């Protein structure tokens, strides 16, 4: 059993479930206590000691079933299939097996271990034979589907399927293939069927092994953390999960800040000041002093590029900013492609995801135009410059791919001069800035901070800095 | 101490807590291996309740530490009572005067005071917080660390020492070792992922929403006087509602509230009209309620059709003869 559990731990690790040595030791202590009585108890015990993340539970369940029931299940399935093929109920089936055993005895036919296990329906022995053969043929080394045939061959050799097939053939002959007696007919059909099932069992065993391997690779790919995944490559499903993740991050950020603000408002207990102030009462602490400092909530103006290339990032940025609204004294959001439009009102009137959908689907501005940062900045400068005061943090989100239009960096410069700070978030990798139609190099001098913002972790870090700093 | 897994199930059942084998196994292992349990799962499935029942079943005191952002050692472990210390210094001024009376030099006076300073840093001036109380308790206790995911990561790191060795160090007093190892239950709503180091030291238990059968059993157990049929219907509807894409899925406690409300209104079956009015007991957002309404109407219609199709069924309790 020890070896089996260790093997299972290895399988879990290959599938991205982190299991430490301390944990596998716990497992053995726990198994000592619970015992190996029932399958369910063992499953619960291993789950409690080995799997510590809710997200790993589905993988664990599948792997446990694959690993611990594999061969037993296969053998049992084969039996019920043979029975179904002959259209018999369990009692009749048992009778048939006994009739065959009697016949073999009468005829004085000696069988190999494999053939006997097959015909007697000796599940335990069959299981052991299959397991040994699988080990001998090295089935656990299988990696690709096309190797199935090769390993099946190996297992057949290890089991001695050829010999068993010949024996069964002989029995079939002895039963007389052409005999009209229906009972004889049935016996020979049974013998034939069992041989087919043997092949099927081997195939299923190998496929099960392959599946364990396969599962490993699939899950390993998924383990690549959502938070580290570039916004460009998100699937539908991931976008949905990402929305939840953003909401959680926002909540956390909010809580952390709320605590900071609370303690800043009330202040920490100030020992020095308390002692000094209470000297006038003869050092008796009548008045407790706290350390207080004042903080101003930042104002925010967000300019989001919503052209096709950066739409996902814009979506999460807007979501995050709006989830954090009460941390700022004022938030105004604009979206642009080539025109620029304000969406602050839209957000006030609609539920957040609905509002974002409307905004980036083109209800506010034409989103199918070619990006023109220069024009957008110029328009903003002309119409909305009053939105910016010396308490304002301006966040621009875009890839600065300007389709070779005029960049009009002077507009950005003047925006910056009025604002407290200007932050540019670029969802493209830093390496590609300034190449092709990217105007990042021209805009960069007028920004206080320029950050790459390609995944959730980066987005979080940036927002954290804006709010805290 | 529990003697076996069925023993856990039975003792919990006596305290009106229905637990499946999985929960019982983890509880049994935790009590035997003296390891903390980390309970995760959606809000309102009875994570906190588990600790309370556990304390009751083992006849131990329950000490609870509620976590929140900014929770620190002084709130969780112990705190010096500065004000009390200052007051004592004031009151004992004369005594201190006596101690230093006749000291030939300032240095000597300081030495004499220093010789006495452990008076002021003794257990008398310590306010024990939940962790210290759990460790120094004269009898074994159950320690519930609730919503650990809300605490900061620094606090989590600090907790490691307590959880692995069951000892804490107070610089002025030295290391305090637990007289009895407390049985620790940590709950988490998964607002963030716990560190691997913490998880490694715990047994993990994931409690999900119960299946319909279990939920029905819980309703029957917890709501006295509920009609068998109503319990079944409520369980079915709630299960269906949980499958919808909602802002907040109804928890078990909300299911119970709802059933209580319906029972108070003397209902034996879900009647579409009153269901709408009592919906606020299980769903807390306007959007969610709207979404679920369609679902529940359909269910009520289906249930009614089923009742009509079974002519030999029990007489309809709603019809008064």
């Amino acid at each position: 059993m020890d070896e089996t559990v260790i093997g299972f731990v290895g399988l879990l690790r290959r599938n991205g479930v982190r299991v430490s040595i301390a944990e596998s030791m716990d497992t053995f202590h726990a198994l000592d206590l619970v015992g190996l009585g029932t399958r369910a108890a063992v499953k619960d015990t291993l789950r409690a000691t080995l799997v510590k993340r809710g997200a790993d539970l589905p993988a664990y369940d599948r792997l446990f079933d694959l690993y611990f029931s594999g061969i037993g299940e296969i053998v049992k399935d084969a039996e019920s299939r043979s029975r179904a093929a002959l259209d018999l109920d369990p009692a009749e089936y048992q009778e048939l097996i006994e009739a065959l055993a009697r016949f073999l005895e009468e005829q004085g036919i000696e069988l190999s271990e494999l053939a006997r296990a097959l015909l007697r329906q000796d599940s335990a022995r069959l299981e052991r034979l299959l397991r040994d053969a699988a080990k001998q043929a090295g089935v656990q080394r299988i990696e690709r589907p096309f190797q199935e045939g090769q390993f099946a061959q190996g297992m057949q050799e290890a089991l001695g399927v050829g010999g068993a097939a010949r024996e069964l053939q002989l029995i079939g002959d002895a039963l007389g293939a052409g005999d009209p007696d229906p009972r004889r007919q049935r016996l020979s059909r049974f013998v034939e069927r069992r041989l087919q099932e043997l092949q099927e069992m081997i195939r299923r065993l190998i496929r099960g092994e392959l599946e364990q391997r396969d599962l490993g690779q699939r899950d390993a790919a998924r383990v690549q953390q959502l938070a580290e995944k570039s916004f460009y490559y998100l699937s539908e499903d991931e976008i949905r999960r990402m929305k939840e993740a953003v909401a959680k991050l926002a909540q956390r950020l909010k809580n952390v800040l709320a605590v900071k603000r609370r303690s800043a408002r009330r202040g920490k207990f100030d020992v020095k000041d308390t002692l000094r102030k209470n000297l006038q009462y003869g050092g008796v602490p009548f008045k407790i002093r706290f350390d207080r400092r004042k903080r101003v909530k930042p104002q925010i103006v967000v300019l989001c590029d919503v052209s096709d290339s950066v739409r996902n990032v814009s979506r999460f940025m807007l979501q995050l900013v709006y989830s954090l609204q009460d941390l700022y004294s004022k938030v105004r959001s604009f979206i642009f492609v080539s025109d620029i439009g304000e969406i602050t009102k839209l957000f006030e009137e609609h539920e957040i995801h609905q509002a974002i959908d409307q905004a980036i689907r083109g209800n506010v501005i034409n989103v199918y135009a070619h990006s023109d940062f220069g024009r957008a900045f110029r328009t903003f400068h002309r119409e909305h410059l009053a939105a910016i005061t010396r308490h304002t943090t301006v966040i621009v989100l875009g890839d600065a791919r300007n389709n070779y239009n005029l960049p009009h960096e002077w507009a950005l410069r003047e925006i910056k001069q009025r604002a407290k700070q200007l932050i540019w978030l670029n969802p493209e990798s830093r390496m590609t800035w300034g190449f092709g139609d990217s105007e990042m190099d021209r805009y960069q001098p007028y920004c206080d901070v320029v950050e790459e913002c390609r995944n959730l972790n980066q987005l979080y870090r940036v927002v954290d800095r804006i709010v805290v700093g | 101490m529990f003697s076996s897994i069925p023993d856990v199930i039975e003792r919990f059942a006596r305290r009106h807590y229905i637990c499946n084998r999985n929960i019982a196994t983890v509880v049994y292992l935790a009590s035997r291996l003296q390891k903390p349990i980390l309970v995760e799962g959606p809000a309102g499935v009875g994570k906190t309740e588990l600790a309370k029942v556990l304390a009751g079943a083992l006849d131990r005191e329950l000490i609870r530490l509620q976590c929140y952002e900014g929770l620190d050692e002084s709130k969780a472990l112990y705190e010096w009572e500065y004000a009390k210390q200052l007051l004592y210094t004031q009151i004992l001024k004369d005594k201190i005067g006596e101690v230093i009376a006749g000291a030939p030099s300032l240095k000597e006076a300081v030495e004499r005071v220093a010789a006495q300073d452990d008076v002021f840093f003794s257990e008398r001036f310590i306010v024990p917080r939940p962790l210290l109380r759990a460790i120094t308790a004269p009898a074994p206790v159950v320690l519930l660390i609730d919503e650990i995911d809300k605490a900061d990561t620094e606090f989590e790191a600090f907790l490691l020492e307590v959880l692995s060795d069951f000892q804490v160090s107070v610089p002025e007093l030295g290391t305090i070792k637990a007289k009895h190892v407390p049985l620790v239950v940590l709950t988490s709503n998964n607002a963030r992922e716990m560190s691997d180091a913490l998880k490694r030291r715990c047994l993990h238990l994931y409690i999900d929403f119960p299946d319909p059968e279990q939920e029905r059993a819980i309703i029957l157990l917890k709501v006295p006087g509920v009609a068998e049929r109503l319990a079944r219907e409520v369980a079915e509807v709630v299960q269906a509602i949980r499958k919808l894409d909602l802002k907040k899925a109804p928890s078990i406690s909300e299911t119970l509230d709802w059933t209580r409300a319906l029972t108070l209104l003397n209902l034996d079956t879900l009647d579409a009209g009153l269901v709408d009015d009592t919906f606020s007991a299980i769903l807390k957002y306007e959007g969610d309620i709207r979404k679920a309404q369609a679902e529940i109407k359909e269910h009520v219609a289906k249930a009614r059709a089923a009742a009509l199709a079974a002519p030999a069924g029990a007489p309809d309790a709603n019809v008064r003869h």
Side-chain angles (χ1 to χ4, degrees):
Chain A
M1 189 65 199
D2 288 9
E3 213 169 292
T4 321
V5 172
I6 291 171
F8 183 58
V9 168
L11 179 65
L12 284 177
R13 287 201 187 118
R14 278 201 300 283
N15 282 283
V17 179
R18 270 169 290 179
V19 180
S20 70
I21 295 182
E23 282 161 331
S24 39
M25 276 163 63
D26 285 346
T27 306
F28 287 115
H29 291 308
L31 281 176
D32 280 348
L33 276 171
V34 174
L36 303 171
T38 66
R39 191 183 146 74
V42 173
K43 192 170 178 179
D44 287 341
T45 309
L46 294 191
R47 177 163 50 204
T49 46
L50 294 176
V51 188
K52 305 293 171 80
R53 283 190 302 182
D56 288 336
L57 283 178
Y60 167 81
D61 283 340
R62 264 179 314 172
L63 289 172
F64 185 91
D65 291 342
L66 270 176
Y67 188 84
F68 282 103
S69 47
I71 297 179
E73 205 85 333
I74 289 172
V75 171
K76 225 181 286 160
D77 273 7
E79 179 186 347
S80 56
R81 259 204 317 273
S82 317
R83 215 178 61 217
L86 295 170
D87 202 14
L88 296 174
D89 63 37
E92 286 174 329
Y93 186 67
Q94 201 53 44
E95 226 169 84
L96 180 78
I97 290 169
E98 270 155 31
L100 185 64
R102 271 199 307 279
F103 172 79
L104 291 177
E105 214 167 304
E106 281 165 22
Q107 300 282 318
I109 300 177
E110 281 288 315
L111 290 178
S112 65
E113 198 182 2
L114 175 66
R116 200 163 51 229
L118 261 180
L119 294 183
R120 287 273 172 83
Q121 192 57 62
D122 185 347
S123 302
R125 188 180 302 253
L126 207 50
E127 214 181 301
R128 189 173 55 73
L129 284 171
L130 281 170
R131 203 184 295 274
D132 288 349
K135 202 175 275 177
Q136 212 175 319
V139 173
Q140 72 274 17
R141 285 198 310 268
I142 192 167
E143 270 166 7
R144 303 261 179 278
F146 64 78
Q147 292 170 313
E148 248 178 64
Q150 169 199 339
F151 281 101
Q153 186 85 35
M155 269 193 72
Q156 284 175 1
E157 275 162 24
L159 271 169
V161 173
R166 267 194 303 281
E167 286 173 75
L168 295 189
Q169 186 67 45
L170 284 175
I171 299 171
D173 289 349
L175 282 164
D179 200 316
D181 180 1
R183 288 183 46 213
R184 286 259 165 131
Q185 282 262 332
R186 205 154 64 185
L187 281 179
S188 80
R189 271 223 313 282
F190 170 71
V191 172
E192 209 176 300
R193 183 79 210 170
R194 292 304 292 169
L195 193 60
Q196 284 170 21
E197 288 302 340
L198 178 63
Q199 301 287 4
E200 179 65 21
M201 280 187 264
I202 292 174
R203 231 193 359 261
R204 279 191 53 189
L205 192 148
I206 292 172
R207 197 155 306 153
E209 193 69 40
L210 188 65
E211 232 169 278
Q212 288 183 18
R213 209 69 52 226
D214 217 29
L215 206 65
Q217 274 147 14
R218 264 206 311 272
D219 282 12
R222 210 182 47 201
V223 163
Q224 186 202 16
Q225 290 276 316
L226 195 61
E228 289 290 348
K229 194 163 178 181
S230 168
F231 289 128
Y232 283 117
Y233 308 116
L234 293 178
S235 66
E236 274 298 304
D237 181 50
E238 281 169 328
I239 288 182
R240 218 191 44 221
R241 284 199 293 153
M242 189 68 98
K243 276 187 202 165
E244 286 165 24
V246 171
K248 266 188 194 161
L249 274 185
Q251 186 58 44
R252 178 147 176 74
L253 200 53
K254 223 160 159 172
N255 292 339
V256 169
L257 276 152
V259 170
K260 269 195 191 144
R261 291 239 169 93
R262 202 159 51 225
S263 60
R265 203 161 50 230
R266 192 189 50 212
K268 267 192 165 170
F269 174 59
D270 190 336
V271 182
K272 266 194 281 183
D273 202 32
T274 304
L275 285 174
R276 201 176 303 128
K277 277 283 177 298
N278 285 306
L279 278 178
Q280 52 181 315
Y281 308 113
V284 181
F286 276 144
K287 281 192 179 160
I288 306 292
R289 301 293 299 186
F290 294 98
D291 170 24
R292 268 170 242 246
R293 233 166 281 151
K294 205 174 154 147
R295 265 166 177 275
V296 193
K297 282 188 182 183
Q299 293 175 9
I300 295 240
V301 169
V302 188
L303 297 177
C304 257
D305 177 6
V306 289
S307 62
D308 242 354
S309 48
V310 295
R311 188 166 297 165
N312 275 343
V313 205
S314 311
R315 160 181 283 281
F316 299 127
M317 182 70 201
L318 287 174
Q319 191 194 337
L320 199 56
V321 166
Y322 267 81
S323 318
L324 295 173
Q325 275 222 50
D326 44 349
L327 296 181
Y328 313 112
S329 59
K330 197 169 173 77
V331 181
R332 290 183 72 179
S333 305
F334 298 84
I335 53 172
F336 65 89
V337 176
S338 142
D339 297 328
I340 192 160
E342 179 161 6
I343 53 169
T344 315
K345 258 239 139 23
L346 191 69
F347 275 93
E348 280 161 10
E349 285 162 6
H350 293 85
E351 191 260 331
I352 175 161
H353 291 300
Q354 234 174 21
I356 294 179
D357 279 342
Q358 281 193 22
I360 63 183
R361 237 185 247 138
N363 292 13
V364 181
I365 54 161
N366 174 14
V367 293
Y368 301 105
H370 291 292
S371 300
D372 186 344
F373 284 74
R375 185 158 167 245
F377 289 147
R378 213 182 53 205
T379 319
F380 182 82
H381 181 266
R382 192 174 63 227
E383 291 170 11
H384 302 290
L385 199 59
I388 295 173
T389 69
R390 61 189 175 85
H391 296 300
T392 313
T393 298
V394 180
I395 304 173
V396 182
L397 194 136
D399 56 5
R401 297 223 165 258
N402 209 21
N403 293 306
Y404 302 105
N405 292 312
L406 281 178
H408 289 302
E409 56 264 46
W410 59 269
L412 193 68
R413 189 185 68 225
E414 291 198 2
I415 293 172
K416 190 221 155 176
Q417 278 168 355
R418 282 182 69 102
K420 181 176 155 207
Q421 57 174 341
L422 196 153
I423 299 173
W424 189 302
L425 306 178
N426 194 327
E428 276 193 342
S429 154
R430 209 174 266 270
M431 320 266 279
T432 62
W433 295 0
F435 286 97
D437 59 346
S438 169
E439 300 286 0
M440 206 56 229
D441 291 349
R442 273 180 212 265
Y443 289 131
Q444 194 156 1
Y446 306 114
C447 305
D448 293 288
V449 181
V450 180
E451 283 286 349
E452 182 182 304
C453 179
R454 277 149 45 88
N455 58 40
L456 194 58
N457 278 347
Q458 285 176 343
L459 180 62
Y460 181 64
R461 266 200 298 277
V462 169
V463 175
D464 186 51
R465 261 201 9 220
I466 299 167
V467 187
V468 178
Chain B
M1 198 54 76
F2 298 108
S3 61
S4 66
I5 297 172
D7 183 37
V8 178
I9 297 182
E10 202 213 300
R11 282 210 233 172
F12 273 36
R14 243 183 280 150
R15 292 182 180 269
H16 295 236
Y17 190 95
I18 294 184
C19 70
N20 56 25
R21 246 197 108 82
N22 182 22
I23 298 178
T25 307
V26 178
V27 168
Y28 173 70
L29 285 175
S31 71
R32 281 311 177 92
L33 297 174
Q34 300 199 326
K35 282 199 155 265
I37 311 176
L38 173 63
V39 194
E40 289 185 316
V45 290
K47 297 190 290 290
T48 307
E49 190 66 20
L50 177 74
K52 290 185 188 159
V53 173
L54 181 59
L58 290 172
D59 205 12
R60 291 183 178 188
E61 189 197 347
L62 177 74
I63 295 178
R64 178 173 179 164
L65 172 65
Q66 175 69 46
C67 296
Y68 49 85
E69 291 89 6
L71 176 71
D72 56 8
E73 285 180 48
S74 66
K75 287 285 181 326
L77 190 56
Y78 70 91
E79 198 170 24
W80 289 107
E81 280 193 276
Y82 298 113
K84 198 169 164 191
Q85 283 171 335
L86 284 174
L87 271 172
Y88 269 60
T89 343
Q90 283 307 311
I91 298 164
L92 299 175
K93 222 173 189 171
D94 298 342
K95 205 78 199 148
I96 296 170
E98 271 172 37
V99 170
I100 55 173
S105 67
L106 199 57
K107 194 174 167 213
E108 174 67 23
V110 170
E111 285 295 329
R112 284 196 200 170
V113 175
Q116 308 282 333
D117 67 356
D118 51 351
V119 171
F120 289 98
F121 285 102
S122 62
E123 281 172 37
R124 184 187 304 277
F125 296 100
I126 270 190
V127 194
R129 303 285 185 191
L131 285 183
L132 190 61
R133 276 213 295 137
I135 279 181
T136 53
V141 296
V142 172
L143 171 64
L144 166 62
I145 302 178
D146 215 0
E147 306 194 343
I148 171 80
D149 51 333
K150 289 210 178 134
D152 307 312
T153 31
E154 298 87 55
F155 179 73
E156 205 181 310
F158 153 77
L159 210 53
L160 291 180
E161 185 196 352
V162 182
L163 291 185
S164 53
D165 304 335
F166 295 105
Q167 65 176 34
V168 292
S169 27
V170 180
E172 293 87 350
L173 297 179
T175 305
I176 304 175
K177 245 185 126 42
K179 295 193 188 89
H180 304 277
V181 175
L183 193 50
V184 185
V185 178
L186 302 109
T187 76
S188 156
N189 281 328
N190 254 329
R192 71 186 167 85
E193 192 80 15
M194 298 292 107
S195 74
D196 281 351
L198 181 77
K199 285 184 166 178
R200 205 158 50 229
R201 286 166 173 80
C202 301
L203 295 176
H204 187 264
L205 175 60
Y206 185 84
I207 305 185
D208 209 343
F209 289 122
D211 55 40
E213 199 39 51
Q214 236 182 337
E215 186 145 34
R216 196 179 59 88
I218 294 173
I219 294 174
L220 286 175
L221 191 68
K222 291 272 188 176
V223 185
V226 67
E228 169 80 23
R229 175 164 171 204
L230 180 67
R232 195 188 63 234
E233 287 189 352
V234 166
E236 275 168 18
V237 169
V238 170
Q239 296 268 337
I241 291 177
R242 280 195 197 121
K243 291 208 183 77
L244 301 175
D245 181 24
L246 298 178
K247 237 176 173 172
K248 186 193 165 303
S251 66
I252 298 179
S253 49
E254 282 157 332
T255 310
L256 293 177
D257 285 347
W258 193 37
T259 319
R260 276 190 202 112
L262 292 170
T263 311
L264 269 180
L265 294 169
N266 261 329
L267 288 185
D268 295 347
T269 177
L270 282 181
D271 180 280
L274 278 168
V275 166
D276 278 0
D277 298 340
T278 50
F279 238 30
S280 53
I282 46 168
L283 294 172
K284 306 296 160 74
Y285 290 95
E286 193 53 40
D288 285 1
I289 293 181
R290 238 177 292 128
K291 264 189 213 163
Q293 256 161 3
E295 179 71 26
I296 198 158
K297 285 217 174 90
E298 192 180 310
H299 176 87
V300 168
K302 224 188 294 168
R304 209 165 270 170
L308 285 177
D316 193 354
N318 258 1
V319 182
R320 308 254 178 253
H321 295 288

